[in-house]
Amino acid sequence: DAKTTQPPSMDCAEGRAANLPCNHSTISGNEYVYWYRQIHSQGPQYIIHGLKNNETNEMASLIITEDRKSSTLILPHATLRDTAVYYCIVRPLNTGFQKLVFGTGTRLLVSP
Amino acid sequence: DAGVIQSPRHEVTEMGQEVTLRCKPISGHDYLFWYRQTMMRGLELLIYFNNNVPIDDSGMPEDRFSAKMPNASFSTLKIQPSEPRDSAVYFCASSLVDRGLIMEKLFFGSGTQLSVL
């Protein structure tokens, strides 16, 4: 599986957009980019995933560069409840189960 | 749906004692996973089941660890005997293979905080 690189921590003001970067320069053509987050004392929570097109859902937007070597998770209007560790994961999306390998993630702190 | 339910939420035990962690997956999900999280090693996959059958237990650290899934709605992770280095947060997750046999997301429980003294 391709490895990912994320900054260890980021800060964001409440109400502003939080842009979390992820580098995955060794990504393969059949590998998807997944984002999960883990709020303190809770299990990880799925946010979004994508292959090469930008994706948006009710939680966030995912922007993947044209060469697919990096991506950005965007929380358009961060709230205090978005304070969490955000994990960027790359894995192939084939039939059956593919192991999720969690790295160290980015610790996002949203402040008033 | 109530989500993935784990119990107990916290467990404190003494070295050498048997510990049993329990998990109820989301109804209808056919995959169940046990993860362990520590500060040093992060989130590690211990074992996963498909349709109640263990598929890959290569992440189970030692023979002291065992997991069972007697039916689609219940799984246990047992540590016997427990040791202080087993102290960690243990998460259970479930998932559903659909949309052309492609698994998209895992749903995690709130975890069991285990402390072995």
Side-chain angles (χ1 to χ4, degrees), chain A:
Chain A
D1 292 350
K3 296 192 184 303
T4 62
T5 304
Q6 300 178 254
S9 64
M10 295 183 63
D11 294 323
C12 179
E14 186 179 22
R16 304 297 293 269
N19 297 286
L20 291 88
C22 180
N23 182 288
H24 32 79
S25 58
T26 60
I27 193 170
S28 300
N30 70 334
E31 290 182 315
Y32 283 65
V33 180
Y34 276 71
W35 284 83
Y36 279 73
R37 74 178 181 183
Q38 187 173 20
I39 296 171
H40 183 62
S41 297
Q42 297 183 23
Q45 176 190 26
Y46 166 85
I47 301 174
I48 198 169
H49 76 282
L51 181 62
K52 56 182 178 181
N53 298 319
N54 298 336
E55 301 288 345
T56 296
N57 63 19
E58 66 279 5
M59 292 183 67
S61 294
L62 174 60
I63 308 298
I64 302 175
T65 58
E66 192 169 344
D67 63 7
R68 303 208 323 119
K69 294 185 177 182
S70 64
S71 60
T72 301
L73 179 74
I74 301 173
L75 308 178
H77 305 286
T79 70
L80 300 180
R81 289 175 294 181
D82 292 322
T83 291
V85 178
Y86 288 78
Y87 298 98
C88 171
I89 303 165
V90 172
R91 71 167 209 192
L93 193 65
N94 300 320
T95 57
F97 171 65
Q98 295 292 334
K99 184 185 296 188
L100 272 183
V101 178
F102 289 82
T104 54
T106 295
R107 187 173 299 275
L108 176 68
L109 175 63
V110 181
S111 302

Side-chain angles (χ1 to χ4, degrees), chain A residues 34 36 38 41-46 49 87 91 93-100 102, chain B residues 9 31 33 35 37 43 45 48 56 58 91 100-106 108-110:
Chain A
Y34 276 71
Y36 279 73
Q38 187 173 20
S41 297
Q42 297 183 23
Q45 176 190 26
Y46 166 85
H49 76 282
Y87 298 98
R91 71 167 209 192
L93 193 65
N94 300 320
T95 57
F97 171 65
Q98 295 292 334
K99 184 185 296 188
L100 272 183
F102 289 82
Chain B
R9 191 79 169 89
Y31 278 82
F33 311 87
Y35 281 83
Q37 186 172 35
L43 269 163
L45 177 64
Y48 76 93
D56 184 353
S58 59
F91 289 102
L101 302 178
I102 295 175
M103 183 188 305
E104 290 189 345
K105 60 184 89 168
L106 270 60
F108 284 78
S110 297

Side-chain angles (χ1 to χ4, degrees), chain B residues 23-30 32 51-52 69-75:
Chain B
C23 174
K24 176 179 169 57
I26 293 173
S27 177
H29 281 193
D30 53 1
L32 184 138
N51 292 322
N52 313 337
M69 193 166 185
N71 57 62
S73 59
F74 183 67
S75 177

Side-chain angles (χ1 to χ4, degrees), chain B residues 28-94:
Chain B
H29 281 193
D30 53 1
Y31 278 82
L32 184 138
F33 311 87
W34 283 99
Y35 281 83
R36 178 173 68 175
Q37 186 172 35
T38 62
M39 288 292 293
M40 292 296 295
R41 302 175 67 87
L43 269 163
E44 304 173 278
L45 177 64
L46 301 178
I47 185 173
Y48 76 93
F49 296 82
N50 177 219
N51 292 322
N52 313 337
V53 177
I55 303 300
D56 184 353
D57 65 354
S58 59
M60 298 284 262
E62 300 173 32
D63 291 344
R64 298 184 296 107
F65 286 70
S66 63
K68 294 182 180 179
M69 193 166 185
N71 57 62
S73 59
F74 183 67
S75 177
T76 59
L77 178 67
K78 184 177 295 186
I79 309 173
Q80 166 63 20
S82 59
E83 297 183 3
R85 60 195 169 114
D86 301 330
S87 298
V89 181
Y90 291 81
F91 289 102
C92 176
S94 70

